[in-house]
Amino acid sequence: MEIQSMRELIKACEKEQKTIGEMMLKMETEKSGRDKEIIIAMMEERLIKMKEAVDRGIKDDSAAPSGISGGDAVKMYDYMNQGKALSGNYISNAMAFSLATSENNARMGVIVATPTAGAAGILPGVLFSLHKNDGTPFKDLVMGLFTASMLGLVIANRSFISGAAGGCQAEVGSATAMAAGTIVELRGGTPEQAVNATAIAMKSLLGLVCDPVAGLVEVPCIKRNVIGTSIAFSAADMALAGIESQIPCDEVIGAMYRIGKDMPRTLRETALGGLATTETGKQVKERLFCRKS
Amino acid sequence: MEFQSCFDIIGPIMVGPSSSHTAGVVSIGKFIYEMLGDCPQEANIVFYDSFAETYQGHGTDKALLGGLLGMDTDDQRIKNSLELAKEYGMQYQFEFAEECEYYDHPNITIVTAKCGDYVVKVGGVSLGGGLSKIFLINDKMVDIRLSAGDDLKALARDYQSIEKEFMEAI
């Protein structure tokens, strides 16, 4: 069985009375020939690595080797624990966990790419926030990773998931879209609602360019991961409220692809445009790498 | 459909900071290591386009050398691989170019590596999310997909036996 579009995915889930996560698990079992239990254990291992990255990052206030990131996860976690966060527990926890993961990534620590390392903060951010705030058990979070990967597979095969190929809309955009759909499914929404959340989240990030300062996955990547978690929760809430995306998800993904193709090379992870070429961005680059430019 | 498995999307487990510029490149290097059966004594590495522009920030050079030294994507020694390669006595040099004539993608490297009498020229593309593909071996176009958790040794061995049969047939 091949699923090449969100439309096919919703149909298949309805026909087989399965969630998106269950559908992914079934497909993986068929394709890989591995036992279902082994596949679940492999996914569990990834969830554990994500948790370890969050736990390490939330306590580590050291700077990345570049000196341009690090320490913000601890700040956000403290602020959140003082009960001051305007955005509420779900979003503020996700923000702290997302910072923890992405800062860890910048330190060349071990993380899990979801779907990429540059966007690795978003899914763990929302998943462990759900766990903390409504007690979603780990076993459900593992199923959530199957939901996320099914949504990600459709996006990756119809468009792209890396900043170099399609800009940040492809990277943080895809991860945010996957996270939005995953929240919906973990909160008991239908596959159709999950796909609506995916579309709504992706639409909010269309056109976002990849312009990392000095080519590092730090500025603005880390904070874009954080904002991604907020968008994921907003999109999920809209979908769970019964709000639909006026543009079907497959068409949104198609738009993301075309925008990425139209995006100049300078804005696709080459660090030759956008924030990378601001005065400060150029100074950072010069300070870090005395090389041809 | 380049992406096949849930683990192409969730994974690899890897050291940061970039799945395309770090993890995917470790796999390309590791594939060459498996082809040679050891780490090369000499390696000439060409980085194209986005790799050429941003390799320092992403540790793409460390990632490739780590792979050539036989490391996996989550090996914490990757950050020290420039020094480790020297300790192993590997002579390496990096070159930079804008566009690759063989393949159209921003994340491409072509590596010429020598181990004993064995010399290979391998082209690899990092497709994103840690997934990569070998598209060129010794001036012949190939299509070998490298995914997180794949047995790269077996993939390299398969390729070598196909190549051997081909050579014997002519």
Side-chain angles (χ1 to χ4, degrees):
Chain A
M1 181 180 47
E2 294 276 9
I3 295 213
Q4 297 183 2
S5 68
M6 295 294 181
R7 203 168 139 261
E8 281 173 27
L9 174 61
I10 295 171
K11 269 197 180 161
C13 288
E14 280 169 359
K15 188 166 159 242
E16 303 208 18
Q17 290 291 300
K18 282 189 189 309
T19 64
I20 293 172
E22 288 165 352
M23 191 57 84
M24 178 77 249
L25 185 54
K26 178 174 181 255
M27 273 173 55
E28 187 72 22
T29 315
E30 287 171 4
K31 264 195 195 169
S32 68
R34 289 183 176 122
D35 287 345
K36 194 171 146 188
E37 288 68 32
I38 291 176
I39 294 167
I40 292 174
M42 286 171 71
M43 201 56 105
E44 244 167 28
E45 187 196 358
R46 282 155 179 75
L47 187 76
I48 292 166
K49 294 286 176 188
M50 286 181 200
K51 183 76 170 61
E52 287 171 0
V54 166
D55 290 347
R56 257 197 321 275
I58 212 76
K59 285 181 291 210
D60 188 348
D61 63 356
S62 69
S66 67
I68 61 167
S69 74
D72 291 343
V74 172
K75 277 185 200 159
M76 186 65 213
Y77 198 57
D78 287 348
Y79 173 76
M80 177 197 102
N81 283 331
Q82 290 164 23
K84 286 182 184 170
L86 302 172
S87 45
N89 289 341
Y90 280 93
I91 289 180
S92 64
N93 288 10
M95 288 166 78
F97 298 155
S98 166
L99 274 168
T101 305
S102 294
E103 286 184 353
N104 203 31
N105 182 55
R107 293 186 193 102
M108 285 189 97
V110 176
I111 54 97
V112 182
T114 56
T116 63
I122 298 162
L123 259 178
V126 304
L127 290 179
F128 296 118
S129 173
L130 288 176
H131 172 72
K132 190 165 178 225
N133 286 293
D134 61 16
T136 306
F138 271 46
K139 143 173 116 29
D140 291 3
L141 299 186
V142 172
M143 280 315 293
L145 288 178
F146 286 105
T147 311
S149 45
M150 183 75 250
L151 297 169
L153 270 182
V154 173
I155 297 169
N157 285 321
R158 292 180 78 84
S159 184
F160 16 53
I161 52 169
S162 79
C168 196
Q169 56 160 9
E171 193 150 342
V172 164
S174 297
T176 303
M178 286 158 54
T182 304
I183 298 170
V184 169
E185 189 145 291
L186 286 173
R187 295 288 287 192
T190 63
E192 195 169 4
Q193 286 175 322
V195 168
N196 269 306
T198 306
I200 293 168
M202 181 166 282
K203 285 193 295 188
S204 324
L205 290 160
L206 284 183
L208 192 62
V209 301
C210 181
D211 50 355
V213 167
L216 301 162
V217 192
E218 294 177 54
V219 178
C221 324
I222 295 176
K223 294 190 186 93
R224 282 188 186 158
N225 271 257
V226 179
I227 303 297
T229 64
S230 322
I231 292 177
F233 274 110
S234 304
D237 266 337
M238 277 195 259
L240 286 165
I243 298 170
E244 293 178 356
S245 171
Q246 289 300 318
I247 310 290
C249 196
D250 292 315
E251 291 181 34
V252 175
I253 299 168
M256 194 262 272
Y257 180 76
R258 292 196 310 277
I259 294 168
K261 282 285 169 198
D262 285 344
M263 217 177 255
R265 180 174 166 273
T266 51
L267 299 174
R268 283 185 284 111
E269 209 174 342
T270 49
L272 295 172
L275 293 169
T277 50
T278 55
E279 271 316 302
T280 306
K282 284 191 284 193
Q283 282 165 16
V284 170
K285 185 178 178 184
E286 213 163 284
R287 178 163 54 79
L288 292 171
F289 316 117
C290 307
R291 62 178 286 250
K292 55 131 195 174
S293 58
Chain B
M1 302 236 300
E2 302 278 11
F3 296 82
Q4 297 279 341
S5 157
C6 53
F7 302 113
D8 292 342
I9 301 295
I10 305 299
I13 302 168
M14 53 169 282
V15 299
S18 166
S19 48
S20 53
H21 290 57
T22 320
V25 182
V26 177
S27 300
I28 294 170
K30 179 84 188 275
F31 179 84
I32 299 169
Y33 167 87
E34 297 294 358
M35 270 193 83
L36 295 172
D38 202 349
C39 51
Q41 291 140 351
E42 288 171 36
N44 182 68
I45 299 147
V46 188
F47 282 156
Y48 294 88
D49 201 348
S50 174
F51 276 180
E53 293 296 340
T54 69
Y55 75 98
Q56 284 176 309
H58 290 129
T60 312
D61 47 352
K62 296 173 185 171
L64 190 71
L65 288 178
L68 290 176
L69 289 168
M71 295 180 200
D72 292 318
T73 54
D74 61 349
D75 196 315
Q76 305 218 39
R77 294 174 301 164
I78 288 170
K79 62 174 109 168
N80 306 320
S81 65
L82 296 178
E83 296 79 27
L84 284 169
K86 280 183 193 138
E87 278 175 35
Y88 275 70
M90 192 200 300
Q91 306 268 334
Y92 60 83
Q93 61 169 2
F94 289 95
E95 287 175 26
F96 308 96
E98 277 220 354
E99 266 174 52
C100 175
E101 57 186 299
Y102 299 101
Y103 203 92
D104 177 28
H105 195 281
N107 297 337
I108 287 185
T109 180
I110 293 186
V111 181
T112 310
K114 181 168 180 271
C115 182
D117 297 332
Y118 195 20
V119 182
V120 286
K121 181 179 170 192
V122 176
V125 53
S126 183
L127 297 164
L131 185 68
S132 40
K133 189 161 88 173
I134 302 295
F135 63 84
L136 179 83
I137 297 182
N138 297 336
D139 290 316
K140 205 172 92 189
M141 297 306 280
V142 294
D143 188 349
I144 307 169
R145 202 172 151 278
L146 311 177
S147 172
D150 276 350
D151 185 347
L152 298 186
K153 191 175 211 157
L155 281 172
R157 201 187 308 124
D158 283 353
Y159 175 78
Q160 279 163 340
S161 54
I162 293 166
E163 184 75 342
K164 201 169 158 217
E165 275 170 34
F166 176 76
M167 294 302 283
E168 278 167 6
I170 53 171

